[in-house]
């Protein structure tokens, strides 16, 4: 009798169920019917047990059937086992999940103390999510766009937040998969040069215990419940999330925009041992979680628990899930949240050749997709920028810090120079290409680009954590006023600096990533950790203000310049002779120049074709151009839409004035 695949699979006679648990004594499938407050349940024991998988065929069950599992077995918290048949459990391989946690006491598997108290006898049915049997999926998604990495421009965005306020999207589609598929939204993405959307988590999620207690939701979705199921909250019609997700992918692909999913295979929504028993903890906690001494979770994610990257059960689940999104939906790639965890089996030392990272990188399906690592976790051991294998691109945190520091008048120009030209010092030695560096200035966690120039301190009071959450290392500036201001001088300085940072990002070698809404001058009011704010704090404002329109036009112009010039989206690192670093006094840079801590101007000739000038000072600066060429102005960040006031050629050897906080791109003639 076949054991694989795991999950619930319908055929003409019924449904075959299969779930992994190495510690269970008995596993029951619970078939649930009825409405709220009147649920009924039929339990069927799975009698077949092969290689740690409990399985069996139940006749006359049809797609649409809600179900869960109840596990009978040892309850020894001090050893990590927490079987409790009073808790109905979501199938880790469920392809659709319905419902939410509405009673934290019912969702908990313990009473009194999570380590010493007895198991809870409160039945969780009716208070926690359930799995749903789905029709068999044809694993034959249409061909993907396959945009070369070197031509990729990413917009990191939230399915709900990006379109929730969009006036051209029908009200019933706003904040949904179909909203993101709307022609007006796709037209906007195309206009600003986006070739890939990196979607904040769309796998079925549930609020972690602390948020349930506060009556809040995990808006970002970094709290996975089911790794194969699209999140039902983003469907315009309840229960249609699979079809609508497919429609969204097809619409984006038709516009040659790829879909990269931000996935969270490092922890789940269940929290630590004091949290909930919704699925993994009740099925087989030692097989899913990395456990420390005395059955406690070894938390290297900062989220209460850590999936064990060394467990065959976890390795199989993660690879099966990612492969499912590619084959069933046509997804083009994955950004792995806290990816260092995947290289730390049993929460030990980091190994770039660990079983899980290797399994993903060599998988015949997954290896054809874009793989992006967030190369850190919640510990010092996990900070591994540049430390992943050749199959991986990485969020380059050093790029973010260098650009922020330069444009606020800190740091050395030598660091910015390395980041500007693709970070070969980080990625070149391993044989990777410049596009392995995913360059970003802002991301979902942290200030928006507007807030980066408007706040020097986080303002997260609305999150309900006493402003203790979120990083204090923002490397931001406010130009003399914290938050919004009516001062036209401060406003212009903020806008000018923002345009300079956007120009830096899009003109750097590597893969640029913009946060969706930054091109619309979006603010979160100084909140740098809006993970629980499903409101106007997080939603993109589509009001047609002049500032938003001009920032959008500027972004589009710089992206077009990048797209049209192979020099600016190179597939290879520069070699000797292709880059000339230029001192503003009119000579090549010398070794001592790189150690000038007061230098605020950086100039570079790229492939004898472009001269890129960047000046971060508060006052104007003189720069003498190289004599070998005359130059045509192409981009001027001091102009609201980036169009130079004059395209009259500048003579080689001439001395020009660089305005404060400016980027000027010149093309050699």
């Amino acid at each position: 009798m076949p054991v694989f695949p795991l999950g619930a699979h319908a055929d003409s006679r019924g449904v075959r169920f299969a779930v992994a648990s190495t510690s269970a004594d008995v596993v029951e499938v619970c078939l649930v019917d009825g409405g709220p407050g009147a649920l009924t349940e039929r339990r069927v024991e799975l009698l077949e047990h092969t290689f740690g998988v409990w399985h069996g065929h139940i006749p006359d069950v049809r797609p649409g059937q809600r179900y869960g599992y109840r596990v009978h077995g040892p309850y020894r918290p001090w050893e990590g086992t927490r079987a409790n048949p009073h808790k109905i459990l979501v199938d880790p391989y469920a392809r659709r999940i319905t419902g939410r946690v509405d009673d934290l006491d019912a969702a908990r598997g313990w009473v009194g103390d999570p380590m010493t108290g007895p198991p809870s006898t409160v039945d969780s049915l009716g208070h926690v999510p359930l799995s749903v049997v789905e029709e068999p999926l044809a694993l034959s998604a249409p061909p993907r766009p396959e945009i070369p990495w070197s031509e990729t421009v990413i917009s990191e965005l939230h399915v709900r937040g990006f379109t929730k306020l969009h006036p051209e999207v029908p009200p019933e589609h706003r904040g949904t998969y179909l909203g993101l598929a709307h022609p007006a939204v796709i037209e906007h993405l195309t206009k600003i040069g986006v070739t890939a959307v990196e979607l904040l988590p769309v796998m079925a999620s549930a609020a972690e215990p602390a948020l349930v207690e506060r009556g809040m939701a995990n808006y970002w979705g970094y709290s996975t419940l089911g790794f194969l199921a699209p999140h039902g909250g983003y469907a315009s019609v309840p229960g249609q999330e699979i079809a609508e997700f497919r429609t969204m992918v097809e619409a984006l692909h038709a516009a040659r925009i790829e879909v990269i999913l931000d996935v969270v295979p490092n922890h789940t929504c269940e929290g630590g041992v004091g949290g909930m028993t919704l699925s993994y903890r009740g099925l087989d906690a030692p097989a899913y979680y990395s456990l420390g001494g005395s059955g406690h979770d070894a938390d290297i994610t900062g989220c209460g628990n850590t999936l064990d990257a060394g467990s065959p059960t976890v390795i199989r689940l993660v690879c099966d899930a990612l492969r499912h999104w590619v084959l069933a939906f046509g997804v083009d790639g994955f950004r792995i949240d806290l990816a260092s965890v995947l290289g730390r089996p049993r929460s030990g030392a980091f190994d770039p050749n660990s079983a899980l990272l290797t399994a993903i990188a060599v998988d015949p399906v997954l290896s054809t997709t874009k793989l992006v690592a967030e190369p850190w976790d919640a510990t010092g051991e996990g900070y591994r920028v540049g430390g992943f294998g050749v199959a991986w691109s990485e969020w380059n945190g050093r790029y973010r810090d260098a650009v922020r520091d330069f444009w606020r008048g800190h740091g050395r120009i030598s660091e910015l120079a390395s980041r500007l030209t693709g970070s070969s010092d980080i990625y070149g030695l391993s044989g990777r290409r410049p596009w392995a560096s995913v360059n970003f200035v802002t991301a979902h966690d942290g200030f928006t680009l507007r807030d980066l120039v408007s706040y020097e301190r986080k303002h997260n009071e609305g999150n309900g954590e006493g402003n203790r959450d979120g990083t204090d290392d923002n490397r931001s500036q406010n130009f003399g006023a914290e938050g919004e201001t009516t001062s036209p001088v401060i406003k212009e300085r903020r806008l000018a600096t923002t345009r300079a940072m956007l120009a830096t990002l899009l003109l750097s070698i590597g893969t640029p990533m913009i946060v969706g809404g930054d091109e619309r001058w979006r603010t979160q009011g100084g909140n740098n950790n809006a993970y629980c704010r499903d409101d106007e704090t997080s939603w993109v404002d589509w009001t047609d203000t002049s500032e938003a329109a001009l920032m959008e036009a500027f972004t589009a112009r710089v992206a077009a310049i990048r797209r049209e010039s192979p020099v600016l989206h190179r597939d290879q690192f520069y070699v000797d002779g292709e880059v000339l670093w230029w001192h503003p006094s009119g000579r090549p840079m010398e070794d001592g120049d790189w150690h000038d801590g007061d230098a605020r101007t950086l100039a570079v000739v790229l492939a004898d074709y472009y001269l890129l000038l960047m000046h971060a000072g508060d006052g104007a600066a003189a720069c003498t151009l190289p004599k070998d060429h005359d130059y045509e102005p192409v981009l001027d960040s001091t102009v609201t839409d980036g169009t130079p006031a004059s395209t009259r050629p500048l003579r080689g050897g001439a001395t020009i004035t660089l305005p404060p906080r400016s980027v000027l791109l010149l093309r050699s003639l």
Side-chain angles (χ1 to χ4, degrees):
M1 187 67 67
V3 175
F4 305 107
L6 294 172
H9 297 272
D11 57 32
S12 60
R13 300 180 298 110
V15 174
R16 173 161 291 280
F17 294 90
V19 64
S21 178
T22 59
S23 61
D25 294 329
V26 174
V27 175
E28 298 171 313
V29 176
C30 305
L31 305 174
V32 179
D33 294 297
L39 294 177
T40 62
E41 175 188 4
R42 177 166 69 98
R43 303 185 186 185
V44 180
E45 183 178 344
L46 294 177
L47 299 177
E48 300 176 70
H49 183 209
T50 311
F51 306 136
V53 174
W54 299 82
H55 55 103
H57 189 275
I58 303 179
D60 301 323
V61 177
R62 296 288 179 260
Q65 175 68 58
R66 288 168 292 166
Y67 72 100
Y69 291 108
R70 294 188 188 269
V71 173
H72 303 256
Y75 185 85
R76 293 191 287 268
W78 56 92
E79 295 179 355
T81 53
R82 294 176 175 272
N84 185 340
H86 296 284
K87 309 304 168 183
I88 192 164
L89 307 175
V90 165
D91 182 354
Y93 279 73
R95 289 184 282 119
R96 183 155 72 90
I97 295 173
T98 185
R100 63 184 182 87
V101 177
D102 65 12
D103 185 332
L104 191 55
D105 287 336
R108 284 177 169 143
W110 48 273
V111 175
D113 185 282
M115 297 305 300
T116 61
S120 166
T121 58
V122 177
D123 197 311
S124 65
L125 179 62
H127 302 289
V128 296
L130 294 169
S131 314
V132 182
V133 176
E134 276 295 306
E135 296 277 2
L137 279 175
L139 302 181
S140 56
R144 306 195 304 267
E146 296 187 352
I147 307 297
W149 258 120
S150 60
E151 298 176 14
T152 298
V153 176
I154 298 172
S155 175
E156 187 202 31
L157 57 85
H158 190 284
V159 168
R160 178 170 169 81
F162 198 67
T163 67
K164 180 64 178 175
L165 300 177
H166 201 297
E168 295 185 58
V169 174
E172 65 272 18
H173 290 167
R174 293 174 189 167
T176 72
Y177 300 120
L178 295 185
L180 197 55
H182 191 275
V185 176
I186 292 177
E187 180 183 4
H188 168 78
L189 294 170
T190 302
K191 175 184 176 182
I192 62 171
V194 169
T195 70
V197 290
E198 184 175 298
L199 304 181
L200 267 68
V202 296
M203 294 178 177
S205 62
E208 54 267 54
L211 287 177
V212 174
E213 288 179 330
R214 300 205 302 270
M216 303 179 79
N218 190 311
Y219 168 73
W220 283 351
Y222 291 91
S223 54
T224 310
L225 175 59
F227 289 93
L228 282 78
H231 187 61
Y234 303 150
S236 65
V237 177
Q240 293 301 305
E241 52 265 31
I242 291 176
E244 292 189 13
F245 187 91
R246 275 182 154 172
T247 297
M248 177 194 70
V249 174
E250 290 170 1
L252 289 164
H253 281 181
R256 290 189 56 76
I257 296 175
E258 294 182 314
V259 178
I260 299 172
L261 301 188
D262 194 339
V263 298
V264 194
N266 58 76
H267 74 281
T268 76
C269 63
E270 290 185 309
V273 293
M276 304 178 290
T277 299
L278 300 179
S279 179
Y280 310 92
R281 179 165 286 122
L283 281 168
D284 194 357
Y288 283 104
Y289 293 126
S290 177
L291 300 178
S294 303
H296 284 87
D297 290 279
D299 180 14
I300 63 172
T301 65
C303 300
N305 63 59
T306 303
L307 288 170
D308 183 6
S311 165
T313 302
V314 171
I315 294 170
R316 180 178 179 185
L317 171 63
V318 171
C319 291
D320 285 352
L322 299 185
R323 200 179 305 113
H324 172 76
W325 288 93
V326 177
L327 296 177
F329 298 108
V331 162
D332 303 281
F334 304 94
R335 178 264 189 187
I336 308 296
D337 179 65
L338 302 182
S340 293
V341 172
L342 278 61
R344 301 181 62 183
R346 292 165 294 283
S347 299
F350 178 79
D351 179 5
N353 299 312
S354 69
L356 181 48
L357 289 176
T358 299
I360 294 171
V362 303
D363 184 276
V365 173
L366 302 180
S367 62
T368 68
T369 67
K370 287 181 166 70
L371 298 174
V372 181
E374 182 185 37
W376 49 78
D377 56 31
T379 72
E381 167 65 22
Y383 188 80
R384 295 290 171 167
V385 174
F388 281 70
V390 295
W392 296 87
S393 294
E394 298 175 16
W395 271 25
N396 189 346
R398 287 182 61 181
Y399 179 95
R400 171 201 60 208
D401 295 346
V403 172
R404 289 188 179 193
D405 280 346
F406 178 77
W407 288 110
R408 69 189 182 107
H410 290 65
R412 296 188 180 274
I413 57 174
S414 56
E415 176 69 5
L416 180 65
S418 296
R419 305 306 139 237
L420 192 68
T421 50
S423 297
S424 61
D425 57 327
I426 298 176
Y427 302 106
L429 292 178
S430 63
R432 286 186 276 181
R433 303 286 185 89
W435 41 258
S437 176
V438 176
N439 300 329
F440 66 106
V441 180
T442 57
H444 65 275
D445 51 349
F447 283 147
T448 66
L449 202 53
R450 177 175 175 176
D451 289 354
L452 193 65
V453 296
S454 303
Y455 296 89
E456 291 187 354
R457 302 181 304 278
K458 65 187 182 185
H459 296 267
N460 299 353
E461 291 82 2
N463 296 354
E465 300 181 43
N467 206 34
R468 295 182 299 273
D469 61 306
T471 183
D472 293 312
D473 182 19
N474 295 296
R475 306 187 187 216
S476 58
Q477 54 193 317
N478 66 14
F479 294 94
E482 185 74 357
E484 296 304 303
T485 179
T486 58
S487 168
V489 174
I490 293 177
K491 283 184 175 181
E492 180 47 42
R493 287 176 178 171
R494 290 175 176 178
L495 287 163
T497 305
T498 298
R499 291 193 297 268
M501 286 193 286
L502 270 173
T504 304
L505 175 63
L506 288 166
L507 298 178
S508 296
I509 306 304
T511 304
M513 184 185 79
I514 304 169
V515 174
D518 273 356
E519 78 282 2
R520 300 262 325 154
W521 197 230
R522 184 175 76 90
T523 179
Q524 291 183 169
N527 192 321
N528 73 354
N529 189 39
Y531 76 105
C532 58
R533 301 301 300 275
D534 187 6
D535 55 27
E536 287 82 355
T537 304
S538 300
W539 303 338
V540 174
D541 185 356
W542 292 91
T543 305
D544 284 328
T545 66
S546 60
E547 291 167 334
L550 289 171
M551 194 65 72
E552 184 178 309
F554 180 84
T555 306
R557 178 173 178 80
V558 186
I561 292 171
R562 175 189 179 89
R563 181 174 59 250
E564 293 161 5
S565 178
V567 173
L568 298 174
H569 60 262
R570 290 173 59 95
D571 190 54
Q572 302 279 353
F573 289 112
Y574 285 111
V575 297
D576 290 344
E578 290 187 305
V579 172
L580 173 64
W581 296 103
W582 191 253
H583 194 276
S585 66
R587 58 173 173 78
M589 291 277 284
E590 299 172 354
D591 288 346
D593 297 328
W594 295 110
H595 303 289
D596 181 358
D598 295 324
R600 297 291 175 260
T601 305
L602 187 63
V604 58
V605 179
L606 302 172
D608 204 30
Y609 189 74
Y610 281 121
L611 173 59
L612 179 60
L613 305 167
M614 308 169 68
H615 176 57
D618 290 329
C623 182
T624 300
L625 306 179
K627 296 179 180 179
D628 295 346
H629 299 280
D630 292 344
Y631 294 93
E632 174 191 11
V634 176
L635 178 77
D636 184 349
S637 72
T638 66
V639 180
T640 53
D641 68 354
T643 305
S646 171
T647 57
R648 180 175 58 85
L650 302 173
R651 187 172 299 279
T655 298
I656 64 173
T657 299
L658 301 178
R661 295 170 294 280
S662 62
V663 173
L664 184 63
L665 183 66
L666 309 177
R667 183 167 47 221
S668 61
L669 297 174

